[in-house]
Amino acid sequence: MELAQLKMVRAVAQTGSVAQAAQQLHCVPSNITTRIKQLESELGTPLFIRSGRGLAISAAGEIFLEYCERILALVDESKRAVDATAIPRGTLRIGAVESSASGRLPPLLAEYHRRYPDVSLELVTGSWAQLLDDLQHHRLDVALVAASNPRAKLEHSVVYSERLVLIASACSAPIHSAEDLAGRTLLVWPPGCPYRAALENWLKPHAFKPTVASYASWGTIIGCVSAGIGVALAPEGILARYEQADQLASYRFDELQAVDNLLFWHKDTQRHLARDAFAGLLRETFS
């Protein structure tokens, strides 16, 4: 069993294709096919099942893949641990929910790049559940999410608290309380979003049941609010990022408590200079 074979298994599992994995690893497809067959022979079990034109990972492959990711992550960490230069370099894979990626992160990423030009930044957006899953499997180095759901092997700290703002079209009737949302459409993210949950919890004690429209994009939600389609609850940091903001009326209520945004990392990765520098910049920026 060789590290090259583990990288091939990971690449094929990620892409579902030997050809795409070969492009990713800069080798010929036949080499990957041969090396994986040798590994399967050594393990005594198939790691992939042919599915149409692609490959689907087998049940045994899923188990083996987790070990591959752990071993390869440990190899990367060992290289960093003995790096005599001891400055952040390499690749930092950041996951973030869209509210953070669009709202708070852009100026911070620019400052990080200025300070640590030898680090190549990769930013991935997604739901908090997907990002934490990717972090658990070492596909990300850190994840910035607005949910404090505990996960095995992950540690976290609060980075900042995001004030929540109710927004409506500047041309619509003013909103003085939750009752003023009766008859209006709520524009929210799909279930699981903490901002959606905060809005739903605020309206629970009231007798009316609002109409709900789900969109997985802050740009779409804010655009629809500006057009007068409905109202939304948005994190304060994201409003300034959209040019429609001057067409909006914003309302703040004490009952709508701020939502913590947390940085998660894998506790098995003990030393990661680029990650630690990013965490330090977050503390410096939001302390």
Side-chain angles (χ1 to χ4, degrees):
M1 187 182 303
E2 301 173 359
L3 289 177
Q5 290 172 304
L6 304 187
K7 293 178 181 178
M8 290 174 181
V9 170
R10 181 177 63 180
V12 173
Q14 289 174 345
T15 63
S17 163
V18 170
Q20 292 184 44
Q23 290 182 345
Q24 185 181 109
L25 297 175
H26 307 292
C27 64
V28 296
S30 59
N31 185 33
I32 291 181
T33 300
T34 300
R35 300 295 293 281
I36 288 181
K37 283 182 177 179
Q38 291 172 346
L39 181 59
E40 289 175 326
S41 178
E42 179 182 346
L43 296 172
T45 185
L47 299 176
F48 295 96
I49 301 168
R50 185 162 296 282
S51 176
R53 293 186 175 181
L55 291 176
I57 194 164
S58 68
E62 287 280 6
I63 296 172
F64 187 73
L65 177 61
E66 184 174 344
Y67 284 96
C68 287
E69 290 168 335
R70 288 163 60 184
I71 292 169
L72 293 173
L74 192 58
V75 169
D76 288 341
E77 183 182 343
S78 68
K79 293 177 181 178
R80 292 190 295 267
V82 298
D83 185 356
T85 59
I87 61 172
R89 62 177 70 245
T91 300
L92 178 62
R93 301 165 299 174
I94 304 168
V97 291
E98 192 189 348
S99 57
S100 295
S102 301
R104 302 290 187 183
L105 277 185
L108 188 141
L109 294 177
E111 175 61 18
Y112 185 93
H113 182 69
R114 186 189 68 79
R115 293 189 188 184
Y116 310 107
D118 292 331
V119 177
S120 175
L121 293 176
E122 294 180 3
L123 178 64
V124 176
T125 59
S127 68
W128 64 264
Q130 181 59 54
L131 294 174
L132 294 185
D133 183 66
D134 286 345
L135 184 59
Q136 275 186 307
H137 292 86
H138 299 282
R139 292 188 287 267
L140 293 172
D141 299 310
V142 289
L144 188 59
V145 302
S148 58
N149 300 69
R151 289 287 187 97
K153 296 284 188 177
L154 299 187
E155 295 182 346
H156 67 270
S157 64
V158 176
V159 178
Y160 60 89
S161 291
E162 189 73 87
R163 184 83 181 270
L164 302 182
V165 184
L166 192 70
I167 55 175
S169 169
C171 301
S172 64
I175 299 171
H176 302 291
S177 66
E179 287 83 356
D180 291 332
L181 298 186
R184 302 201 192 194
T185 298
L186 304 184
L187 304 174
V188 295
W189 276 68
C193 171
Y195 304 118
R196 173 178 180 147
L199 183 55
E200 290 175 341
N201 291 335
W202 187 45
L203 298 180
K204 267 183 183 177
H206 303 279
F208 65 91
K209 186 175 181 179
T211 301
V212 173
S214 297
Y215 300 103
S217 163
W218 283 115
T220 301
I221 288 174
I222 292 176
C224 289
V225 171
S226 298
I229 295 174
V231 300
L233 187 66
E236 194 167 47
I238 204 169
L239 294 183
R241 297 290 165 186
Y242 290 91
E243 60 184 12
Q244 301 102 321
D246 59 355
Q247 303 168 30
L248 301 173
S250 59
Y251 306 91
R252 293 163 177 78
F253 298 92
D254 292 337
E255 309 92 81
L256 292 171
Q257 297 183 349
V259 172
D260 286 340
N261 282 246
L262 304 100
L263 184 72
F264 282 80
W265 63 92
H266 203 295
K267 67 179 182 181
D268 285 350
T269 306
Q270 298 293 326
R271 189 169 188 258
H272 193 307
L273 293 177
R275 178 203 65 187
D276 297 341
F278 180 71
L281 183 56
L282 285 172
R283 288 192 298 270
E284 176 187 328
T285 303
F286 296 111
S287 62

